[in-house]
Amino acid sequence: MASKVTPISGFQEWLPRERIAEQYVLDTIREVFELHGFASVSTRAVEPVERLSDQGEDADKEIYAVSRLAGGDDEARLGLHFDLTVPFARYVLENSGKLTFPFRRYQIQPAWRGERPQRGRYREFIQADVDIIDAAELPGHYEAELLLVIADVFGRLPVGAYQVHVNNRKICEGFYRAIGIEDVIGTLRIVDKLDKIGEDGVASLLLAAGCSQEQADRCLALARIRTSDTSFVQQVRALGVSHPVLEEGLTHLASVMETAAEHAPGVAVADLRIARGLDYYTGTVYETMLERDPGYGSVCSGGRYDALASDGKRTYPGVGISIGVSRLLGLLIGEEGLTASRETPAAVLVAVNDEETRSDSIRIAAALRSRGVPTLVAPKAAKFGKQIQFADRRGIPYVWFPGAGERGGDAVKDIRSGDQVDADAASWTPPAADLHATLVTPGSSD
């Protein structure tokens, strides 16, 4: 007896037009990453659970454990990776003798989190990461460079207005230590909940964690600072707190903001409430918000990590930023209706006059494909009206008719306009705008 098909929440599966739109976004991201000199790597899906669970307060709650159904108790405990940074750090350690540093990598792969699916959050999702990692020391200018990479990507995608919110965790660390707070990581985790529980909720958690009312008030005062230039430096100093680590963080963040102002004006915001929940971040941190829907949360985030890739003898500091592709497309495709101009890559359907001459149609298709024209041969030698209808339903803009030319050659028809012209498969090419499927945004025409 066939079992009933039951949907599983938290997984994206797109229809063909939507899948083409997803591939367009992925190809754009890949192209920009390579334009900026990043090399592609791919890492395995699983890591030891102990390595994954050592990355933050809630990391162990999100890991999908993996084991054979017939496995024994002596099997190594493995889990699906919940991001691409942890496996990349392991990859660097295993291959350090073969890599050239500073190493620039990009990685576009699925990741998995065992959390409750909700708007913009999935159990399986695609991330697109770029990282720069070096041996022993990593210059701070890379932290500004990654922001410019993301600005380049988002400038080519239909995301509308957006802002990259930037902070430096050294600002928070130095500030907290200066006012007498020793549990820096715990305080960062609490402040990182501001968007979810608000100032009153954060204040209550800080007090419960042992902070005084004055310390809690000062933490919130720091988190309220947000500027589109380097004036945050003066605002922080006006709080009357000084510490060497704080000054270091202010200097680094000011440098990032100055670079962004020159090369991507209006994109960066210094936002001192941004903390990021994972423990491995040590410097600059990023979160990217779409201005039309800031409540959707960050669609691109990351930061600097100094000790994640370390074998006890050598340390490889790095900085990375990750585009939540599935999260972004959940909004663009799933909610706003972004799609593609056709449901197949084919730009041309070669008609079949009759089954005896199908080989002629196949030869025409081969000639077109040899010059990069995506082409499909009609499945049946039906009436031409039905073959045109076949193409129209799939969004294929051109139908090729063997032997229908005025001089005995072939003809090709634009079924949108009805225009038909003589054509030779050895030379004819559709306009560049029709060669590949294009994105269609809601309200626009294809």
Side-chain angles (χ1 to χ4, degrees):
M1 180 182 294
S3 59
K4 182 180 179 181
V5 176
T6 303
I8 302 177
S9 63
F11 296 83
Q12 286 182 340
E13 290 183 333
W14 301 119
L15 293 173
R17 285 180 185 262
E18 298 165 339
R19 171 62 175 156
I20 289 176
E22 179 187 48
Q23 287 181 305
Y24 178 96
V25 170
L26 290 169
D27 289 344
T28 300
I29 293 170
R30 183 181 300 109
E31 178 185 2
V32 173
F33 286 173
E34 292 183 357
L35 281 173
H36 286 262
F38 291 88
S40 175
V41 305
S42 177
T43 58
R44 66 196 186 205
V46 298
E47 298 290 338
V49 167
E50 292 74 16
R51 180 164 181 79
L52 293 171
S53 63
D54 194 30
Q55 307 305 326
E57 180 183 32
D58 298 322
D60 57 340
K61 300 176 184 177
E62 299 180 344
I63 298 169
Y64 275 118
V66 177
S67 63
R68 292 189 302 124
L69 291 178
D73 294 337
D74 58 340
E75 280 198 321
R77 296 180 66 230
L78 301 176
L80 294 173
H81 59 235
F82 57 80
D83 73 358
L84 301 181
T85 306
V86 174
F88 172 59
R90 186 267 310 159
Y91 175 93
V92 169
L93 292 176
E94 289 187 1
N95 296 284
S96 60
K98 304 172 185 177
L99 299 174
T100 303
F101 294 98
F103 180 51
R104 304 166 67 91
R105 89 78 161 88
Y106 80 85
Q107 192 170 348
I108 302 176
Q109 283 184 232
W112 297 266
R113 289 189 182 181
E115 59 182 359
R116 182 175 63 85
Q118 52 189 300
R119 185 182 184 226
R121 301 188 73 87
Y122 306 94
R123 296 177 182 179
E124 179 184 64
F125 50 94
I126 298 172
Q127 289 191 185
D129 287 22
V130 279
D131 284 74
I132 304 172
I133 199 163
D134 209 341
E137 295 183 6
L138 183 76
H141 61 79
Y142 289 126
E143 297 169 39
E145 181 183 344
L146 287 194
L147 189 152
L148 302 183
V149 174
I150 296 306
D152 196 354
V153 171
F154 277 37
R156 300 168 188 241
L157 296 176
V159 300
Y162 68 95
Q163 287 188 321
V164 182
H165 296 242
V166 195
N167 192 11
N168 192 295
R169 286 179 71 153
K170 290 182 178 180
I171 295 175
C172 301
E173 178 184 352
F175 189 89
Y176 298 159
R177 294 197 185 284
I179 62 175
I181 296 176
E182 293 300 324
D183 185 6
V184 172
I185 295 298
T187 305
L188 281 169
R189 289 174 182 163
I190 293 172
V191 174
D192 197 46
K193 302 177 187 294
L194 260 172
D195 284 342
K196 296 179 180 179
I197 63 177
E199 288 195 3
D200 290 343
V202 167
S204 296
L205 290 179
L206 289 173
L207 293 173
C211 290
S212 66
Q213 185 65 56
E214 180 183 0
Q215 288 172 326
D217 290 343
R218 287 191 160 199
C219 288
L220 289 171
L222 180 69
R224 292 188 194 107
I225 295 175
R226 183 185 305 182
T227 70
S228 58
D229 53 24
T230 59
S231 61
F232 69 89
V233 176
Q234 290 73 34
Q235 293 188 34
V236 172
R237 288 174 178 159
L239 297 177
V241 174
S242 63
H243 191 280
V245 176
L246 170 61
E247 289 301 318
E248 184 180 356
L250 290 173
T251 299
H252 286 172
L253 184 55
S255 177
V256 170
M257 292 297 294
E258 288 168 353
T259 301
E262 180 180 355
H263 298 284
V267 166
V269 175
D271 187 346
L272 303 196
R273 68 186 170 86
I274 300 299
R276 304 294 302 146
L278 294 171
D279 290 353
Y280 54 69
Y281 292 124
T282 56
T284 298
V285 286
Y286 321 85
E287 288 191 353
T288 307
M289 313 291 184
L290 303 181
E291 289 191 14
R292 69 179 179 280
D293 194 352
Y296 192 66
S298 179
V299 295
C300 176
S301 57
R304 175 162 181 148
Y305 47 91
D306 283 301
L308 180 60
S310 177
D311 58 7
K313 297 179 181 178
R314 299 194 70 181
T315 298
Y316 301 87
V319 60
I321 195 163
S322 171
I323 301 172
V325 178
S326 296
R327 181 172 176 79
L328 181 62
L329 295 183
L331 180 65
L332 297 182
I333 295 178
E335 296 187 20
E336 298 182 352
L338 181 71
T339 186
S341 57
R342 51 188 187 251
E343 67 177 45
T344 170
V348 179
L349 176 74
V350 180
V352 177
N353 293 331
D354 50 59
E355 290 303 328
E356 287 72 22
T357 59
R358 174 175 288 276
S359 59
D360 293 339
S361 298
I362 293 174
R363 280 191 289 271
I364 292 167
L368 290 169
R369 292 176 190 139
S370 70
R371 294 184 299 101
V373 180
T375 305
L376 182 65
V377 177
K380 295 181 180 179
K383 293 180 178 180
F384 284 155
K386 289 189 176 181
Q387 295 191 55
I388 291 173
Q389 189 179 58
F390 178 93
D392 185 51
R393 286 177 174 173
R394 290 157 179 79
I396 300 173
Y398 295 94
V399 176
W400 191 283
F401 298 105
E406 294 182 359
R407 300 177 182 177
D410 300 339
V412 64
K413 183 173 185 174
D414 183 338
I415 64 173
R416 299 162 299 183
S417 66
D419 295 337
Q420 181 169 315
V421 298
D422 288 2
D424 183 346
S427 59
W428 180 88
T429 301
D434 293 329
L435 188 57
H436 301 290
T438 57
L439 290 184
V440 178
T441 55
S444 68
S445 62
D446 55 2

